[in-house]
Amino acid sequence: MPAPEVKAILDFDGTLTDETKQAAELAVIAKSMLTEEILNVDPAEIDHLYEVTKEKILQTPHLYLWQVNSLPACYAYEGAYLLNTVILQRILQDNPHFLSTISHSFPADNLDSVTKCVNYLFHEGSYHVSPHFLEGTKPLLLDLLAHGQIEPVILTNSETRKIAKNLAQLEIGEKGANHSFDHEIGILGDTKQYYLDPAWNQHFLHPQHGSIQVLPINDLFSIDLRRPIYHQALNEEIDKGYKQIAIAADGFSLAGALPLTMDLNFFLITTDFTPDWAKDYVDSHPKGQVVTNLQELKQAIYSLIA
């Protein structure tokens, strides 16, 4: 059988799952971890701060971002998990006592203390969240796995162990790992699409804006491209020699802006959180396409086959 022509890199949470349901479960778990394990405060205080902060963000969502190493990783309202992350970030950043506590518990290194704490809450908490797979997820994955010219792989900021655990519910194993399933798929885990390095000197050539590190979207929005770990993961796939590479995800700032700037295909699957400016930008890009469901995503991937 000839080598696959197309590498289909599929984001997990929000693309193959109902992230709104997942985020609701995670919020309960994360608040409990924060009050009991980290801050040792009254749960009612965190519950109150969570709701107040959420309301502030939803009133003016374009003003709130997920900050990593003092750089904007994405906008708060680009996804349900992201909204939860930014709420927790603001709770910690805006309270000097909380900030002092986590600075000792999560000392800064290549990541700031707030990001490390919020990452911990996400990784440990989301491991116990039900995946809530979208209807059609298993048929999509099995169709792609059976197609001789397409090699699918799962992309995630989560740890590989969480994705493997959840895929087991579909009777699909992690490629190369011990499992008892008839089907297996590769996992690009912990790709840290959110990790930004202000010292990274990589520039990208843009047809209108020349050499850039920040992608202008319009007069109000822009996306920082200084994501060296995600960039390395994408380059490793490019070096494997596929004729086409496509990334599919529900979030543009984290998963889509860098691939499009690198002239890779990007399919934005819409959710209730997808902002219009993201849809407009992806639609306007020659390598971008907006899809509304998994059937449309499948057809978009198939269209890449020569």
Side-chain angles (χ1 to χ4, degrees):
M1 180 180 293
E5 293 184 6
V6 176
K7 186 63 171 281
I9 303 174
L10 310 177
D11 176 51
F12 188 79
D13 293 317
T15 301
L16 304 177
T17 68
D18 186 333
E19 190 174 286
T20 299
K21 293 180 179 178
Q22 293 174 288
E25 290 185 18
L26 176 61
V28 174
I29 296 170
K31 287 187 291 183
S32 176
M33 294 171 63
L34 194 60
T35 57
E36 296 175 11
E37 297 180 23
I38 300 172
L39 298 178
N40 192 27
V41 296
D42 185 351
E45 179 181 0
I46 297 301
D47 285 339
H48 173 72
L49 289 172
Y50 190 96
E51 294 305 318
V52 169
T53 305
K54 180 179 180 180
E55 184 62 28
K56 287 181 180 178
I57 292 174
L58 292 179
Q59 286 176 354
T60 52
H62 61 287
L63 299 180
Y64 291 87
L65 306 103
W66 182 13
Q67 299 280 347
V68 177
N69 291 332
S70 300
L71 296 176
C74 65
Y75 293 90
Y77 66 116
E78 290 188 72
Y81 268 155
L82 296 175
L83 177 58
N84 179 73
T85 293
V86 176
I87 291 170
L88 295 173
Q89 180 185 64
R90 297 301 309 188
I91 289 173
L92 296 173
Q93 285 181 334
D94 294 346
N95 186 302
H97 174 67
F98 295 167
L99 194 57
S100 176
T101 299
I102 65 164
S103 296
H104 289 89
S105 302
F106 299 89
D109 42 38
N110 64 325
L111 282 175
D112 59 274
S113 295
V114 172
T115 300
K116 289 179 69 175
C117 179
V118 172
N119 280 358
Y120 169 75
L121 295 172
F122 174 77
H123 287 308
E124 293 301 317
S126 64
Y127 184 80
H128 302 287
V129 168
S130 301
H132 296 287
F133 286 109
L134 295 174
E135 183 177 355
T137 293
K138 184 174 182 179
L140 170 68
L141 294 179
L142 294 184
D143 286 349
L144 295 178
L145 287 167
H147 196 296
Q149 294 303 302
I150 300 171
E151 182 182 343
V153 65
I154 301 297
L155 172 74
T156 181
N157 285 320
S158 298
E159 296 172 346
T160 299
R161 64 183 182 121
K162 184 192 92 171
I163 305 304
K165 175 180 74 74
N166 290 336
L167 286 172
Q169 295 189 25
L170 302 178
E171 298 182 311
I172 298 175
E174 178 191 354
K175 188 174 183 178
N178 292 325
H179 58 80
S180 58
F181 304 118
D182 293 333
H183 306 282
E184 63 178 18
I185 190 170
I187 301 173
L188 289 176
D190 202 18
T191 51
K192 293 184 172 64
Q193 300 149 38
Y194 58 84
Y195 176 74
L196 289 129
D197 182 358
W200 195 47
N201 61 6
Q202 174 74 42
H203 284 69
F204 301 89
L205 186 61
H206 189 278
Q208 280 81 44
H209 304 289
S211 179
I212 63 170
Q213 287 191 302
V214 177
L215 176 65
I217 302 299
N218 56 35
D219 291 341
L220 294 177
F221 299 98
S222 62
I223 300 171
D224 203 305
L225 301 170
R226 287 172 284 182
R227 304 168 193 261
I229 297 176
Y230 188 33
H231 182 259
Q232 179 180 344
L234 293 173
N235 270 329
E236 288 175 0
E237 297 303 316
I238 292 171
D239 290 343
K240 294 175 183 177
Y242 299 98
K243 291 183 179 179
Q244 296 275 7
I245 294 176
I247 296 87
D250 65 302
F252 180 54
S253 292
L254 288 183
L258 184 59
L260 280 184
T261 306
M262 295 170 67
D263 204 34
L264 300 176
N265 301 286
F266 177 69
F267 303 137
L268 177 66
I269 186 162
T270 59
T271 72
D272 291 341
F273 284 83
T274 310
D276 288 339
W277 58 262
K279 290 185 282 188
D280 291 343
Y281 186 89
V282 173
D283 254 341
S284 70
H285 196 286
K287 290 293 187 75
Q289 185 174 338
V290 176
V291 298
T292 62
N293 56 56
L294 295 183
Q295 184 60 33
E296 289 183 10
L297 175 58
K298 176 182 172 181
Q299 294 307 315
I301 295 171
Y302 279 21
S303 72
L304 297 176
I305 300 171

